[in-house]
Structure formats: structure tokens, C-alpha cells
């Protein structure tokens, strides 16, 4: 055997698993298809890297929803976001809390990435770059053989940490599902989670290429709860936490996007807006742009809504987005689907039918809302997998 543990994937889950393996004294090797590690990690929160959400383990689990929360329960209870914050600080990375999210104090994802890669360098844990696993074989005497175009490695234990299918340029190309299927494991079809919504060209929310952000809106569609968060409008695409969490909910429930409605001023009641509108009518007459701006809409949005065909106040509180559709999986923040959860034990992240095979992070059918939950899941599942391996040495 070349090593005790081979980790496929040098993203958040793979790198953290390698660090924990080094702490446990396991001889580990990391294999990465791209030329450098952590490419998707650096994209989180525009490189600000909100690596976890504030709250108890039970509060975090409630936010994931079923079936994810039941599967993640042992991992999150063993290693909640506060534990990751302490671990980063032990490596010299100060952390801070902003709202309900944890960030490195510098708000630079590079600091989190470099802390892990520096630790692995000091621990002499090798990372093999530009090395794409092509086939996984089980060895009759126990363990696994991983084949690439240029080399093969044998290991006692194998951890899949290859991510999902979103942002394929970062190296997440759905390899986990292919490996699982080749080993006879069940997978769930991948869908886009936490993804933007496209509105048609004539929609008042289609404001052109210059981005516009609204700090707080609510959004809902047929069959969904109401989601609150920010809204970012750019080139006819709606993004932001409210939209992302809505699309994740739809994908998880396997429902189509229908009748999307947005409340652009959720902190104001329709009655209060009507009273304000009457006052603004006396002040500005027929100038709807000034009146809409006076209600609280940004100038660009006020100009666009002034051309809206229906009564402006009804549109502001319950605006039906025209011609909308979810953007493709390759643009999603997270993949819904992947290796079926029933194939792995939630208490260990070990495959139920193939001893020594583990999985962590997004290659499994796990996902969470915006706010650090997906990185929390990656770190927690990686931690649990290594903890189980170290017990079985």
C-alpha cells in the first residue's frame, strides 16, 4: 500500500480531512485534478469565506431541513461551526462574527486556504496536482487502487471529497457520482441549488449590466415558504440569499419555479405605503419616479417601475416576475443530488457496503442554505470521517 489514506479532491472537505488525518498520524495523500487547491473555497462569499453559521448544533441542523439534517446530525454535533472557528484560530487565523456568520477576520478566503495548505506542508502530507482519478478498483486483499493516466496508487482507505457538479471550472465535475456508480452505489440526479433566476428582457427588474442590490426583500413561488434576504440584480439575473434559498428549496422538493413574487419593501405594510404615496402625490404630482423613490426604491428601480403597467404599490408588495426560470446547474453555488445518503453511515461517513470507502462534502447528497452551512457540512463530514478512521487504525 502506498498510503493509509488517499483523499480525492483538494477542496474544503479534502483539505480539512487531510489536516485532521495529519493530526491523527495517518499517512495520507491528496489527489487533485486541478492545478491548485481550494478553487471553490476561494469563491465563497466572493472570497470573504463565511465558513460557518452562528448557532447551536440543533439550530444549524434545523436550517438544513430533511433529509439532510438527520444525516448530518452526528457530524454537526461533533464539529459545529464554533469548533471550526477554534481550529482556525489555533493555526493563527483570527476569526470574527458578522451578523450570524463566521468569517476570517481579514475576510479573505486565501487566509483559510493557506492555513490548511501550510499545515499540510509542515506535516509533509503530499498533494498531487493535475492528477485526475479515472478509475477506482477494490483490492482483493483489502483497500483500493486508484488509477490515473500517469500513475496508480493503492491505499487502505479512500475518501471521496470531489465536490458536486456546480462551477465545473473549479474541478467539481460530478466525478463522485461516476465513481459511486462504478462501485455499484446508488446516486441521486444532480440539480441546481442556490442558483440565480433569469427574468425576461422586458421585465422591470431587468436593469442592464450594472449591478443593483436591495438589502432586504422577500420572495416566494407556488408551493414555497417566504424567503427573506438580499437581492442582487445584474444583467437580468436575480441573485442574493432570498433567491438562492428559494431555488434550493424548489430543487430539494423537485418542484418547478412558478409564479415567483417579490416584496421589494417587506418592512413596510401596503397600508403605510398607500398613506406615504398620497403624501408624495401631493408633493410630486404625476412624477412617478420621484414618488417611487420616495417610497424607498432606488432611483434606477424607481425609473423602471414607473413604466410598469399596473398600480405601483401592489407591484412593490407582490411583484410577479415575468418570464422567469432558474439558471443552469453549472452556475449554482451548490449541487443538490450526488451519492445517495443511504449508501453511507451518518455516524462515520463510511460506506455501508464497501468497508474503507468514505465520502465527505458536496459529493454526497447534502446541501444547505446560504450563510456558511455548506462549508460547515464539508468540514463536519470530513472531521467525522477521519475520526472514524483513527478509531479503526
Amino acid at each position: 500500500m502506498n498510503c493509509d489514506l488517499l483523499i480525492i479532491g483538494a477542496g474544503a472537505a479534502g483539505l480539512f480531512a487531510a489536516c485532521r488525518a495529519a493530526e491523527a498520524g495517518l499517512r495520507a495523500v491528496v489527489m487533485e485534478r486541478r492545478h491548485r487547491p481550494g478553487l471553490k473555497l476561494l469563491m465563497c462569499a466572493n472570497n470573504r469565506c463565511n465558513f460557518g453559521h452562528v448557532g447551536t448544533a440543533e439550530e444549524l441542523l434545523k436550517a438544513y431541513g430533511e433529509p439532510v439534517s438527520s444525516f448530518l446530525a452526528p457530524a454537526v454535533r461533533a464539529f459545529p461551526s464554533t469548533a471550526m472557528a477554534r481550529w482556525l484560530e489555533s493555526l493563527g487565523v483570527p476569526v470574527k462574527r458578522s451578523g450570524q456568520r463566521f468569517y476570517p477576520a481579514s475576510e479573505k478566503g486565501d487566509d483559510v486556504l493557506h492555513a490548511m495548505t501550510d499545515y499540510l506542508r509542515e506535516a509533509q502530507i503530499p498533494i498531487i496536482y493535475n492528477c485526475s482519478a479515472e478509475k477506482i478498483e477494490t483490492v482483493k486483499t483489502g483497500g483500493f487502487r486508484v488509477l490515473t493516466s500517469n500513475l496508480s496508487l493503492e491505499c487502505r482507505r479512500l475518501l471521496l471529497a470531489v465536490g458536486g457538479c456546480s462551477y465545473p471550472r473549479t474541478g467539481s465535475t460530478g466525478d463522485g457520482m461516476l465513481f459511486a456508480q462504478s462501485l455499484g452505489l446508488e446516486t441521486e440526479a444532480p440539480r441546481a441549488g442556490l442558483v440565480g433566476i433569469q427574468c425576461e428582457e422586458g421585465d422591470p427588474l431587468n436593469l442592464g449590466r450594472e449591478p443593483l442590490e436591495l438589502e432586504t426583500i422577500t420572495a416566494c413561488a407556488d408551493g414555497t415558504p417566504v424567503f427573506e434576504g438580499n437581492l442582487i440584480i445584474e444583467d437580468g439575473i436575480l441573485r442574493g440569499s432570498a433567491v438562492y434559498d428559494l431555488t434550493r428549496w424548489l430543487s430539494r422538493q423537485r418542484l418547478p419555479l412558478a409564479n415567483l413574487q417579490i416584496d421589494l419593501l417587506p418592512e413596510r405594510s401596503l397600508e403605510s405605503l398607500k398613506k406615504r404615496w398620497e403624501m408624495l402625490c401631493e408633493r410630486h404630482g404625476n412624477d412617478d419616479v420621484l414618488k417611487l423613490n420616495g417610497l424607498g426604491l432606488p432611483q434606477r428601480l424607481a425609473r423602471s417601475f414607473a413604466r410598469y403597467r399596473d398600480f405601483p404599490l401592489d407591484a412593490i408588495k407582490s411583484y410577479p416576475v415575468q418570464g422567469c426560470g432558474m439558471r443552469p446547474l453549472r452556475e449554482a453555488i451548490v449541487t443538490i443530488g450526488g451519492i445517495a445518503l443511504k449508501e453511507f453511515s451518518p455516524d462515520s461517513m463510511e460506506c455501508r457496503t464497501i468497508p474503507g470507502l468514505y465520502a465527505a462534502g458536496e459529493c454526497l447528497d447534502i446541501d444547505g442554505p446560504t450563510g456558511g452551512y455548506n462549508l460547515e457540512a464539508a468540514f463536519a463530514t470530513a472531521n467525522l470521517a477521519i475520526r472514524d478512521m483513527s478509531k479503526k487504525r
Side-chain angles (χ1 to χ4, degrees), residues 1 3 9 16 32 80 87 103 107 123 140 159-160 181 204 252 274 322 331 351 372 376 388:
M1 293 289 171
C3 54
F16 186 60
E32 168 57 39
W87 186 81
Y103 295 87
E107 296 194 6
K140 289 183 179 180
L159 174 64
L160 298 177
Q181 291 165 3
R252 177 51 72 177
K274 287 181 178 179
Q322 303 169 37
E331 297 179 13
C351 183
E376 157 67 17
D388 187 71

Side-chain angles (χ1 to χ4, degrees), residues 117-133:
T117 54
D118 288 351
Y119 183 88
L120 294 176
R121 184 184 65 247
E122 294 299 319
Q124 298 185 5
I125 300 294
I127 305 177
I128 308 173
Y129 297 113
N130 300 315
C131 190
S132 178

Side-chain angles (χ1 to χ4, degrees), residues 1-7 17-18 20-30 123-126 154-158 386 389 393:
M1 293 289 171
N2 300 112
C3 54
D4 296 325
L5 167 64
L6 177 59
I7 300 169
R20 295 307 249 183
E23 293 171 353
L26 296 171
R27 293 186 306 122
V29 174
V30 183
Q124 298 185 5
I125 300 294
E154 291 189 1
C155 54
R156 293 177 57 213
R157 297 184 179 92
L158 178 66
I386 299 303
M389 293 180 206
R393 294 182 61 182

Side-chain angles (χ1 to χ4, degrees), residues 143-185:
F144 304 88
R145 181 180 299 109
V146 178
L147 306 176
T148 76
S149 59
N150 294 308
L151 57 87
S152 65
L153 290 174
E154 291 189 1
C155 54
R156 293 177 57 213
R157 297 184 179 92
L158 178 66
L159 174 64
L160 298 177
V162 293
C165 303
S166 59
Y167 295 133
R169 66 183 182 276
T170 66
S172 298
T173 58
D175 287 347
M177 289 187 294
L178 297 178
F179 294 144
Q181 291 165 3
S182 71
L183 294 169
L185 304 180

Side-chain angles (χ1 to χ4, degrees), residues 240-255:
S241 57
V243 170
Y244 287 154
D245 287 339
L246 184 146
T247 54
R248 173 194 177 246
W249 197 93
L250 287 170
S251 290
R252 177 51 72 177
Q253 301 300 318
R254 298 179 183 272
L255 292 175

Side-chain angles (χ1 to χ4, degrees), residues 5 54 84 106-107 119 123 289 302 341 354 364:
L5 167 64
V54 174
M84 187 64 190
S106 63
E107 296 194 6
Y119 183 88
V289 176
L341 298 182
I354 306 175
L364 290 163

